[in-house]
């Protein structure tokens, strides 16, 4: 049996999410679902399938204690569907309590190092990206957004952490990698642990919503939280893991590096819906076969569009699944419907986002002045 | 024949400085001595024995073009004799032209990561360290001093560089090391190349005065300058290498980690001169032998004190050497004289330094406002 790999920088193939529990110690979300008053679509539909110490965050919600949600983006282009996945979770967990604070890291130093994008360019992209998350529902009154290039805390912590890790520890988590990737992992650990620094309110539960392939970063951060517990009092960060979307071009993972494998929230509604209509599906070779055997929704990126993002409600998802697998719905009509949903979503999102540009700038400015005022 | 090792983090043993030329490509200083109008004591006495591209800096002096001198200190304690060596070179090369700018890095992030020293503690040490270099003759009007914890440029560059180096390249230069040391090497490369950034005047010759054991850092910076030449226009940094002082306790290298191996500019004149009187020497087992065979000045840390730091002039150095090696001078009287010189130096230095504390604070403040005003 082929072993699953979790590679935050490559193409992860995860064929059996339940196996991640025994292999990597990711616990299932299912036993905790009853603790949510209004579980999100991702949770209800099992898209958020795994977690580590999610209970700690739910305890904070129940007891009205402060907690943080940490996420971020590399501002190397438009917001893509994977970013939306994470943003949806971030917004949902922020909405559970007035004691929640979102920390949103804009990895402009990495965008420069990896993609040669100047800070001037990425500053513009960052504002758009922040407007995207505001349009997706982020509450700016309980959020801090910062650029890596302006936040010494993260750099300081990655330097500190670099002394506390051994090459063996990094190799065990990530495999043999170039030092640039190890350093980038330490910087991410700095981002993840930053909300617990004394000048930002001190130790607290921190939830990191991520794709399953990012688990190595979570393990490193948790290791470091333990290692530096006596010095900083870190609570090991919690994580919630979402499944990876199948690529529209076929294959296991949508990737920013393969634009045709998905679309971005910057694409025009027409472009994006065209890409959906051209997508690979879980359909059969002939109409006759499909009517007889049913489609394979479980490996279909178009079905993923419904369940991950664009279905109107759970009933809608269920109906699509049943019609597909029973051979009632054919791929052409199914893609047509999905394309329509994508088109409507993007039209509305573009309007929302455009109206959020000023709020995005304000959030960046407000965050900057907060972070510099509390810094040493 | 045992191979010399150059280990910036360990105990380097260098038995034959001339071999560093063939083994590592460090060129001799001697052929360039005629280009100096008033060569410094270190240059006249061959203590600055090696160089890379020193000619490029001398060209800048001759043609009245801008150049920089880059050095720094980890503010983990008092200024020791090795810091003084480097500072003397820094001050001398600054004095050669009004177009020179000293960049002085205070590695407080490293002091925190390695020694657990808080920024509040190291901020105080840093001011004293800067007062030390002012007392040693630094011209504050042509100098910029910065803390790593406040200078994003260095952190940004080390991130960029981390993508441009391969593990093989780092292993070839430093041997197999823990990632923390590799990262610290990349941060030092950031310090060394920072004076050439566009907002700090752009590409220019930069001289780094260092102990021979620091050559790996110079090689890495020069490799990176080449690798990023097309992007930043970097000129490969130049270096001048000084010999390592023998430890007062015997052995090849004075080290901050072994306090008894030297003394610091914070020690009281009494303590320091006591340590000198107790020093290991190149003397013979008996007075009779010493009279007959002469002392071994070439392996004597007390002779090093004369030639590296405290002799009144070259004549004085020569006289000590001749009297020692001819058996005229015995170790007791020689140490007595050295102890007196050390005592007088420290008394004067303490007076000078105490009077420089305000200037030190001003230099830090002026530098900070310059660096933030030019930064993006």
């Amino acid at each position: 049996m082929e072993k699953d790999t979790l590679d935050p920088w490559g193409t992860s193939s995860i064929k059996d999410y339940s196996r991640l529990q025994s292999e990597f110690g990711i616990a299932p979300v299912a036993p905790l679902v009853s603790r949510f008053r209004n579980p999100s679509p991702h949770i209800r539909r099992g898209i958020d399938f795994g977690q580590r110490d999610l209970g700690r965050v739910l305890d904070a919600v129940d007891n009205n204690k402060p907690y943080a949600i940490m996420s971020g983006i590399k501002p190397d282009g438009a917001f893509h569907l994977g970013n939306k996945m994470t943003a949806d979770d971030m917004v949902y967990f922020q909405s559970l309590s007035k004691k929640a604070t979102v920390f949103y890291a804009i990895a402009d130093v990495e965008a420069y190092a990896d993609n040669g994008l100047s800070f001037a360019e990425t500053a513009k992209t960052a504002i758009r990206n922040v407007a995207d998350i505001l349009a997706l529902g982020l509450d700016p009154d309980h959020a801090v957004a910062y650029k890596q290039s302006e936040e010494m805390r993260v750099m300081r912590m990655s330097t500190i952490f670099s002394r506390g890790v051994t090459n063996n520890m990094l190799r065990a988590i990530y495999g043999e990698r170039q030092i640039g990737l190890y350093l980038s992992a330490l910087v991410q650990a700095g981002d993840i642990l930053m909300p617990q620094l004394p000048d930002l309110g001190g130790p607290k539960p921190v939830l990191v919503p991520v794709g399953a392939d990012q688990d190595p970063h979570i393990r490193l951060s948790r290791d470091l939280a333990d290692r530096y517990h006596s010095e900083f009092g870190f609570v090991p960060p919690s994580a919630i893991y979402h499944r990876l979307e199948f690529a529209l071009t076929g294959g296991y993972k949508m990737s920013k590096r393969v634009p045709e494998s998905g679309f971005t929230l910057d694409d025009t509604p027409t472009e994006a819906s065209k890409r959906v209509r051209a997508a690979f599906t879980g359909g059969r070779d002939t109409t006759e076969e499909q009517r007889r055997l049913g489609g394979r929704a479980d490996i279909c990126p178009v079905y993923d569009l419904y369940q991950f993002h664009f279905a109107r409600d759970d009933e809608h998802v269920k109906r699509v699944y049943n019609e597909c697998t029973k051979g009632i719905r054919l791929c052409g009509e199914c893609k047509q419907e999905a394309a329509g949903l994508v088109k409507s979503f993007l039209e509305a999102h573009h309007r929302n986002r455009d109206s959020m540009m000023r709020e995005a700038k304000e959030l960046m400015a407000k965050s900057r002045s907060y972070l510099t005022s509390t810094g040493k």
Side-chain angles (χ1 to χ4, degrees), chain A:
Chain A
M1 197 154 59
E2 204 186 324
K3 210 168 146 41
D4 290 332
T5 59
L6 293 182
D7 176 357
W9 299 296
T11 321
S12 295
S13 72
I14 302 171
K15 289 175 205 72
D16 181 354
Y17 283 92
S18 64
R19 277 175 52 202
L20 296 183
Q21 188 170 2
S22 53
E23 279 176 27
F24 299 103
I26 294 177
V29 169
L32 296 174
V33 173
S34 61
R35 293 194 58 181
F36 292 89
R37 209 163 313 161
N38 294 303
S40 69
H42 288 171
I43 291 170
R44 293 197 309 268
R45 298 174 193 167
I47 291 165
D48 285 345
F49 71 97
Q51 50 91 13
R52 291 185 193 268
D53 282 345
L54 179 60
R56 182 177 289 134
V57 175
L58 297 177
D59 290 347
V61 173
D62 290 349
N63 302 318
N64 204 29
K65 298 274 189 208
Y67 65 96
I69 301 126
M70 198 280 136
S71 186
I73 193 167
K74 189 162 89 168
D76 60 353
F79 217 81
H80 63 94
L81 287 179
N83 298 128
K84 177 178 175 297
M85 284 288 299
T86 308
D88 287 341
D89 281 353
M90 185 171 88
V91 166
Y92 171 71
F93 279 95
Q94 185 195 39
S95 75
L96 296 182
S97 164
K98 287 290 167 219
K99 291 291 179 71
T101 308
V102 161
F103 284 79
Y104 198 69
I106 292 153
D108 58 348
V109 174
E110 305 233 339
Y112 183 63
D114 295 338
N115 311 79
L117 299 170
S118 75
F119 292 126
E121 288 170 86
T122 49
K124 275 188 216 156
T125 308
I127 298 284
R128 278 181 84 79
N129 291 163
V130 170
D132 277 312
I133 56 174
L134 290 169
L136 292 171
L138 186 83
D139 174 0
D141 291 339
H142 296 93
V144 175
Y146 62 91
K147 296 180 199 163
Q148 273 181 351
S149 67
E150 293 179 347
E151 190 41 65
M152 278 298 321
R153 288 176 185 85
V154 174
M155 293 295 170
R156 284 177 200 158
M157 293 183 77
S158 60
T159 304
I160 294 166
F161 296 159
S162 75
R163 306 306 203 273
V165 298
T166 62
N167 294 358
N168 283 342
M169 186 175 154
L170 290 168
R171 279 191 202 116
I173 296 177
Y174 294 100
E176 179 74 26
R177 301 291 189 153
Q178 292 299 328
I179 190 179
L181 291 181
Y182 287 146
L183 176 58
S184 122
L186 291 168
V187 170
Q188 297 215 25
D191 283 320
I192 291 173
L193 293 167
M194 180 171 117
Q196 300 194 55
L197 288 180
D199 57 347
L200 301 177
K204 61 174 80 66
V206 178
L207 180 69
V208 193
V210 285
D213 55 338
Q214 304 297 308
D215 182 52
H217 294 324
I218 301 296
R219 274 181 278 150
L220 177 64
S221 303
R222 289 167 60 90
D223 274 6
L224 289 167
D226 284 342
R227 205 163 280 242
Y228 289 91
H229 177 78
S230 60
E231 197 169 340
F232 293 96
F234 289 140
V235 174
S238 307
I240 186 159
Y241 300 89
H242 61 75
R243 287 163 51 197
L244 305 178
E245 287 176 79
F246 287 115
L248 293 183
T249 43
Y252 279 103
K253 188 188 164 190
M254 244 177 219
S255 163
K256 221 166 170 174
R257 268 161 288 189
V258 185
E260 321 80 68
S261 69
F263 56 86
T264 79
L265 302 199
D266 265 10
D267 290 338
T268 65
T270 314
E271 275 165 34
S273 57
K274 200 168 136 193
R275 206 169 279 171
V276 172
R277 284 195 306 271
F280 168 91
T281 71
R284 306 286 175 176
D285 292 346
T286 65
T287 306
E288 184 277 322
E289 257 187 76
Q290 179 126 355
R291 292 286 183 210
R292 184 160 48 85
L293 302 169
R296 287 159 297 187
D298 295 322
I299 61 159
C300 180
V302 177
Y303 177 66
D304 275 359
L305 292 177
Y306 286 94
Q307 65 165 346
F308 281 59
H309 299 286
F310 303 113
R312 278 179 300 273
D313 50 38
D314 292 356
E315 272 313 300
H316 187 187
V317 177
K318 208 174 289 175
R319 184 160 54 77
V320 171
Y321 187 84
N322 286 335
E323 290 178 358
C324 167
T325 53
K326 291 181 177 151
I328 299 165
R329 161 185 291 249
L330 295 183
C331 294
E333 52 191 292
C334 187
K335 292 202 271 190
Q336 195 64 36
E337 184 186 355
L341 291 167
V342 165
K343 194 159 175 281
S344 313
F345 169 81
L346 285 178
E347 282 163 358
H349 182 75
H350 289 178
R351 273 195 309 276
N352 282 339
R353 185 184 56 196
D354 292 349
S355 75
M356 290 292 176
M357 292 299 283
R358 218 190 47 168
E359 276 88 343
K361 279 176 206 153
E362 281 170 8
L363 175 55
M364 294 298 297
K366 189 194 71 170
S367 302
R368 182 93 204 102
S369 95
Y370 165 67
L371 290 169
T372 44
S373 74
T374 58
K376 75 113 218 169

